[in-house]
């Protein structure tokens, strides 16, 4: 007798058909599972995106079943290295309490990384929509490795997965790092907004290192202080920018709380970068009027879920 295939954790056609018609209850349920709407996405486009996701995940599953592996750009994952469902359960409460979502549908895999300090990575592709994430194989058997925690990595990457459609890059890392158990990482984890910021800091540090080597072996009379200016300037610029963004985010949360109360952080998690900066710039008494003017489907779902008097939270 042929064994029945396990039910896919992705939305079925009945759920997608309801979402396509703009059913707010269906959209709210999908939002709760980490299928967040894009900044200006309408119901048909949202349903089309999730159907594309189902199709691409099915292609991956067929490759895993047929070949035992699946290749995506420079990453190859194998069927035996699939992250088990129980690992998602470990972080569901953290994501739900912080941001009102719990993801159990995105494929995840253990891999042997090329880089020693690699912990995990969310792979998100648009417009040919597909998402998965990978974490280092060390976490298959252990909860911690170096300064990484498996639960923290999972929650961090699932935050990125949930916010795919918002195309955010300004506040993205700050949101993800709030899942950390470390107060230091919650405070400073979002300093590097983009990959280029990391390269800038490393380049400034290497400049200082090579400069000191040259002073030692070739130019001993050259003063040291000019060499320190480059990393000092890079650090000061990154710190100033991050402090400003943290101030904007804090102000936006306070303003959102005037309408959404304790759900303010969950609302901001669903905001675009522009939304957050606008909320931060408004006077507190201007927030309700601004929110009333937000008629996109995304904001309809936000109000459906998180307004204290009518949310489905």
């Amino acid at each position: 007798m042929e064994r029945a295939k396990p039910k896919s954790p992705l939305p079925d056609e009945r759920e997608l058909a309801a979402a396509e018609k703009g059913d707010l209850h269906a959209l709210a349920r999908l939002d709760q599972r980490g299928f967040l709407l894009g900044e200006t996405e309408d119901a048909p486009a949202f349903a089309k995106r999730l159907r594309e996701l189902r199709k691409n995940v099915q292609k991956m599953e067929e490759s895993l079943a047929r070949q035992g592996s699946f290749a995506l750009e420079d990453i190859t994952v194998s069927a035996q290295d699939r992250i088990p469902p129980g690992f998602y359960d470990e972080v569901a409460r953290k994501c739900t309490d912080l941001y009102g979502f719990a993801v159990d549908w995105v494929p995840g895999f253990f891999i042997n990384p090329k880089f020693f300090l690699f912990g995990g990575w969310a792979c998100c592709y648009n417009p040919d929509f597909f998402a998965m994430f990978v974490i280092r194989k060390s976490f298959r058997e252990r909860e911690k490795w170096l300064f990484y925690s498996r639960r923290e990595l999972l929650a961090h990457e699932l935050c990125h997965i949930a916010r795919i459609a918002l195309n955010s890059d300004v506040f993205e890392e700050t949101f993800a790092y709030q899942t950390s158990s470390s107060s230091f990482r919650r405070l400073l984890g979002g300093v590097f907004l983009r990959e280029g910021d990391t390269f800038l800091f490393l380049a400034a540090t290497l400049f200082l290192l090579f400069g000191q080597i040259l002073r030692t072996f070739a130019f001993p009379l050259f003063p040291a202080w000019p060499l320190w200016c480059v990393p000092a300037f890079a650090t000061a610029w990154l710190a100033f920018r991050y402090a400003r963004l943290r101030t904007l985010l804090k102000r936006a949360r306070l303003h959102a709380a005037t309408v959404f109360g304790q759900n303010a952080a969950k609302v901001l998690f669903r905001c675009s970068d522009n939304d957050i900066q606008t909320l931060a710039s408004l006077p507190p008494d201007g927030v309700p009027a601004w929110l009333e003017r937000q008629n996109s489907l995304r904001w309809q779902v936000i109000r459906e879920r998180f307004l204290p008097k009518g949310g489905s939270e």
Side-chain angles (χ1 to χ4, degrees):
M1 182 176 179
E2 186 178 352
R3 182 179 298 176
K5 292 182 179 179
K7 185 180 183 299
S8 170
L10 290 164
D12 58 29
E13 187 53 38
R14 178 184 57 81
E15 294 173 293
L16 294 180
E20 189 172 28
K21 294 176 182 176
D23 183 327
L24 283 181
H25 294 295
L27 290 164
R29 288 193 296 271
L30 289 170
D31 179 278
Q32 193 168 16
R33 295 190 60 204
F35 297 106
L36 274 56
L37 281 149
E39 187 170 4
T40 58
E41 199 168 32
D42 61 16
F46 178 64
K48 180 181 178 181
R49 174 162 64 89
L50 296 195
R51 288 190 177 105
E52 193 71 19
L53 172 65
R54 284 180 60 90
K55 182 178 74 174
N56 288 330
V57 170
Q58 182 60 34
K59 289 179 181 177
M60 181 204 73
E61 298 291 359
E62 290 171 358
S63 176
L64 290 172
R66 184 173 58 252
Q67 303 172 10
S69 64
F70 174 72
L72 186 67
E73 294 186 353
D74 60 346
I75 296 177
T76 299
V77 297
S78 59
Q80 67 265 26
D81 289 329
R82 194 76 172 258
I83 294 176
F87 284 25
Y88 294 81
D89 296 339
E90 290 179 355
V91 299
R93 173 57 60 186
K94 169 73 75 173
C95 293
T96 299
D97 289 347
L98 273 178
Y99 298 132
F101 81 93
V103 168
D104 62 356
W105 49 266
V106 65
F109 299 88
F110 299 107
I111 66 167
N112 283 320
K114 296 179 181 178
F115 305 105
F116 176 71
L117 291 177
F118 172 88
W121 181 40
C123 317
C124 311
Y125 299 89
N126 280 315
D128 184 21
F129 189 67
F130 180 70
M132 73 175 189
F133 73 99
V134 293
I135 61 174
R136 68 180 303 121
K137 197 171 286 188
S138 308
F139 291 112
R140 183 195 293 274
E141 304 297 338
R142 64 177 78 170
E143 162 62 23
K144 293 188 176 181
W145 180 82
L146 290 181
F147 46 81
Y148 289 116
S149 157
R150 183 177 69 205
R151 295 188 183 191
E152 182 177 328
L153 270 175
L154 285 171
H156 185 107
E157 300 306 334
L158 293 180
C159 284
H160 290 317
I161 293 293
R163 284 173 50 85
I164 294 171
L166 288 168
N167 294 318
S168 170
D169 60 2
V170 176
F171 300 100
E172 186 71 15
E173 290 299 330
T174 304
F175 279 124
Y177 271 105
Q178 298 316 297
T179 62
S180 176
S181 58
S182 163
S183 58
F184 177 81
R185 286 196 290 276
R186 288 197 303 272
L187 178 63
L188 296 177
V191 169
F192 300 111
L193 306 186
R194 307 171 187 90
E195 192 176 71
D197 294 338
T198 306
F199 288 135
L200 170 66
F201 184 77
L202 289 176
T205 304
L206 289 173
F207 176 84
L208 174 62
L209 174 63
F210 289 135
Q212 294 287 28
I213 292 173
L214 286 173
R215 285 185 70 246
T216 301
F217 296 103
F219 306 104
L221 297 180
F222 188 83
W225 67 265
L227 302 175
W228 284 94
C229 288
V230 174
F233 177 80
T235 302
W237 182 79
L238 290 170
F240 174 79
R241 184 188 63 179
Y242 185 57
R244 176 180 173 274
L245 295 179
R246 292 278 301 195
T247 299
L248 286 174
L249 195 60
K250 181 179 179 180
R251 191 179 303 151
R253 179 171 179 172
L254 288 173
H255 290 178
T258 62
V259 175
F260 293 99
Q262 294 182 347
N263 289 327
K266 298 173 184 177
V267 170
L268 290 188
F269 187 77
R270 289 153 176 82
C271 284
S272 67
D273 293 337
N274 288 334
D275 287 338
I276 293 172
Q277 293 181 53
T278 300
L279 274 169
S281 67
L282 291 170
D285 57 1
V287 174
W290 180 81
L291 288 171
E292 286 180 7
R293 295 194 298 271
Q294 307 312 304
N295 295 318
S296 68
L297 187 61
R298 176 172 56 97
W299 275 103
Q300 292 177 46
V301 173
I302 289 172
R303 286 191 285 266
E304 171 70 19
R305 285 202 66 198
F306 300 115
L307 271 178
K309 61 180 180 181
S312 58
E313 183 66 2

